Amino acid sequence: MEKFYYLVKMTFLTKFAYVKAFWLNIAGTFASIVIYYFLWQFVFRRQETLAGYTAAQMTAYVILSRMLSSQFGGGINSELSGWIRLGTIGMELLRPVSLQFTLFSRRVGEFLFFSIFKGVPVTVICFFVLGGSAPAGVWNFVMFLASTCLSIGIMFFFEFMVGLCAFYTNHSYSLAFAKNSLLSILSGGVVPLFLFPEGLARVLDYLPFAGMVSVPVNIYLGKYLPDETWRFIGLQVVWILILWVAANIFYSCSIRRIVVQGG
């Protein structure tokens, strides 16, 4: 835990060193929330509900989904690919902790920094200014927090595998861009999954992408029955285990390239 705390602390210090970029990131997220808010307000001018969502619930969906999906642009894949491209990956592998532990600690640090200095403050301000429905209940809010924490595990393993692709491509800029776009769309970060064709929406609900945005937000809004909520929480745990196994297999295959290239 001491090593974990140190790595999290180092992530905080790194983030504070680029505070101007952080403020620009907040401004961009707030702008996207406002744009999506007015788009949905136009839709609800002609109808009171849409697929069971009221205007207030959709406002809450926009705020929370845009806030959660704003993390897709960060992550540890860029840092990992940078280590591989610059050749410093060898030094990282020599550290007394595993590469996955180091990167996971950094990812947790990023999430904590995001939550404290961006997620909570900006969300509260947006709810105060734009409105939006409160959580369906205390239990829903608690499960929303639990689901959000699990979503970070899903994000981490996706980012880890994207970063490992740099062993084969020498960089991951295009892959990172594709990752951000893919996750934003398939997670419900751009548009709610219920706007997809019914069959496709049902499939997406059970893929890991939904666990990053759609599932936590819908739990917050009370769109799932209690047993459905537990099922989706359990599904998030299952996907974390599956992605953990996939990431370890990919890592074992990728790390051999250091030996092949004489690194």
Side-chain angles (χ1 to χ4, degrees):
M1 288 302 297
E2 183 179 352
K3 296 175 182 177
F4 178 79
Y5 169 77
Y6 174 77
L7 290 168
V8 169
K9 181 181 178 180
M10 288 300 296
T11 303
F12 266 69
L13 295 175
T14 302
K15 291 293 182 181
F16 278 124
Y18 299 96
V19 67
K20 291 183 179 179
F22 178 69
W23 282 112
L24 289 174
N25 182 272
I26 289 179
T29 301
F30 184 76
S32 70
I33 290 173
V34 172
I35 291 171
Y36 276 83
Y37 167 78
F38 282 112
L39 287 174
W40 282 107
Q41 286 300 303
F42 178 78
V43 172
F44 279 96
R45 284 181 182 177
R46 303 185 181 185
Q47 55 196 57
E48 294 184 358
T49 62
L50 177 64
Y53 290 78
T54 64
Q57 288 178 331
M58 187 54 67
T59 298
Y61 187 97
V62 167
I63 295 171
L64 295 174
S65 65
R66 295 310 301 161
M67 190 57 60
L68 290 174
S69 61
S70 68
Q71 296 184 87
F72 295 153
I76 49 85
N77 53 277
S78 298
E79 189 168 12
L80 176 56
S81 64
W83 292 346
I84 296 171
R85 187 178 68 257
L86 297 175
T88 57
I89 185 66
M91 292 299 298
E92 296 298 329
L93 292 173
L94 291 175
R95 295 186 185 276
V97 293
S98 68
L99 182 64
Q100 274 199 41
F101 180 84
T102 300
L103 292 172
F104 180 73
S105 300
R106 289 174 177 267
R107 189 65 179 92
V108 171
E110 283 189 4
F111 176 67
L112 292 176
F113 186 88
F114 160 85
S115 300
I116 297 171
F117 297 102
K118 177 184 175 181
V120 174
V122 175
T123 299
V124 171
I125 293 172
C126 287
F127 268 92
F128 180 77
V129 175
L130 304 177
S133 62
V138 176
W139 184 81
N140 292 84
F141 184 70
V142 172
M143 297 305 289
F144 161 74
L145 295 178
S147 181
T148 300
C149 291
L150 290 174
S151 72
I152 299 304
I154 298 175
M155 288 184 198
F156 168 74
F157 288 114
F158 268 112
E159 293 164 358
F160 182 66
M161 287 188 282
V162 170
L164 288 176
C165 290
F167 276 117
Y168 302 91
T169 63
N170 199 35
H171 64 81
S172 64
Y173 295 122
S174 57
L175 286 174
F177 180 80
K179 180 212 74 173
N180 298 342
S181 302
L182 183 68
L183 295 186
S184 295
I185 295 172
L186 298 183
S187 68
V190 176
V191 293
L193 296 183
F194 68 77
L195 291 181
F196 287 83
E198 183 178 355
L200 179 59
R202 191 173 302 167
V203 172
L204 291 176
D205 277 338
Y206 290 91
L207 291 180
F209 313 108
M212 301 178 191
V213 175
S214 181
V215 168
V217 177
N218 280 315
I219 290 175
Y220 173 94
L221 295 173
K223 295 300 178 181
Y224 301 137
L225 296 173
D227 60 326
E228 291 178 311
T229 298
W230 284 115
R231 186 165 70 246
F232 278 112
I233 291 287
L235 188 61
Q236 284 181 290
V237 175
V238 170
W239 274 118
I240 288 174
L241 295 175
I242 293 174
L243 292 171
W244 174 72
V245 172
N248 277 282
I249 294 174
F250 190 26
Y251 173 74
S252 299
C253 296
S254 301
I255 208 69
R256 296 173 188 170
R257 294 186 64 85
I258 294 180
V259 177
V260 172
Q261 293 173 355

